[in-house]
Amino acid sequence: MGEQSFLRGGHPRGRGDFLERLLRGLLDAMDHAADAERLAAAPGLLQRLDPRLKTLGLLSLVVTAVFVKSLVALALLFACATALALASGITLRRLARQVWIGVFLFTGVLAIPAIVLVPGDAVAVVPLLDWTITRQGLRGAAFLIGRAQTAATFALLVVLTTPWPQVLKALRSLGVPLILVAILGMTHRYIFVLLESSVQLFEAKRSRVMGPLPGPQRRRLAMTSVVVLLERSLQLATEVHLAMIARGYRGEVHLLDELRTRPRDWLALAGLLSIAAVAIGWPWLPAIGDGG
């Protein structure tokens, strides 16, 4: 996506250069988005399904992960999400980088205190601090982290295996309000327009700099660039909105290729809903439920 920067492949000014690091981050973000689009168009298990039924099935599993009452069922849902990702060409490394590490760090901050704050049966004592770790606290932390990891993984599968216009079309088909879909579509589109404008702006600035900038000048440059980008984005948004209205845009999502539902799509939806039903009813299954 976008033209290649002349700064790619390293620069003699090294990692400490403010503009180079900023440009590298912007270009990495654009490359990441382009890679996600290639993945959505690649052959894979989930890529071959109708986006509407696939979204419905995966969202049902997201809801199931939130309300499931069994750790065993939650673990099975997580394993199911991982298996679907692998069958769709999404590597474990990508899942870890995009979801698992971030979600674990965020929810871990919230869950770890519960290990010692929730009263219950003591299972261990933290050395030096003399804090008691309880079984109920460990269970609550495991539920919090597991639910967040599983739900985020299923949500990522929807985005990574479906082209963005089809995601919007699927959301409209599922009854998501038109205004929300329009906001999502325009936000996604103009994030990259803004990124490309930022790259061009900073490369122009970069080409006029002969050496490393001192701290005050770097901060001044960053602030002026933010103001210029904000002004450009407001102007662009106004022009684009007027052009779309003039062409008859009313917020509805239209695709060149209409979505078609085949028997295998209904079969896949039935399979995903069956997994959700089994996970919800796991504690009541005779002999194999873990009793919640």
Side-chain angles (χ1 to χ4, degrees), residues 51-53 55-56 59 169-176:
R52 295 164 295 184
L53 301 188
T55 303
L56 178 62
L59 290 182
K169 185 72 174 180
L171 291 177
R172 279 295 294 148
S173 301
L174 296 176
V176 176

Side-chain angles (χ1 to χ4, degrees), residues 6 19 202-210:
F6 65 86
L19 288 178
F202 281 109
E203 284 192 342
K205 295 279 187 184
R206 182 72 166 80
S207 64
R208 293 171 173 79
V209 175
M210 301 302 295

Side-chain angles (χ1 to χ4, degrees), residues 69-71 139 143 283 289-292:
K69 300 295 184 183
S70 166
L71 281 176
R139 181 179 174 82
F143 263 120
D290 65 353

Side-chain angles (χ1 to χ4, degrees), residues 11-35:
H11 193 279
R13 296 186 180 184
R15 300 179 58 189
D17 190 288
F18 166 74
L19 288 178
E20 184 173 343
R21 285 186 284 115
L22 183 57
L23 277 170
R24 188 180 297 118
L26 294 174
L27 291 168
D28 286 345
M30 296 172 69
D31 286 344
H32 175 75
D35 186 50

Side-chain angles (χ1 to χ4, degrees), residues 217-268:
Q217 289 191 21
R218 289 201 301 268
R219 291 189 287 274
R220 191 178 304 115
L221 175 61
M223 290 305 300
T224 55
S225 301
V226 168
V227 173
V228 170
L229 283 174
L230 179 60
E231 184 179 3
R232 283 188 181 182
S233 63
L234 289 175
Q235 181 181 358
L236 179 64
T238 303
E239 293 174 353
V240 170
H241 180 257
L242 293 177
M244 293 172 66
I245 294 297
R247 289 165 174 78
Y249 176 74
R250 297 296 180 268
E252 193 60 73
V253 179
H254 298 285
L255 300 176
L256 292 178
D257 299 323
E258 288 299 324
L259 301 178
R260 292 184 304 170
T261 303
R262 292 152 294 190
R264 72 181 185 192
D265 301 317
W266 290 107
L267 187 63

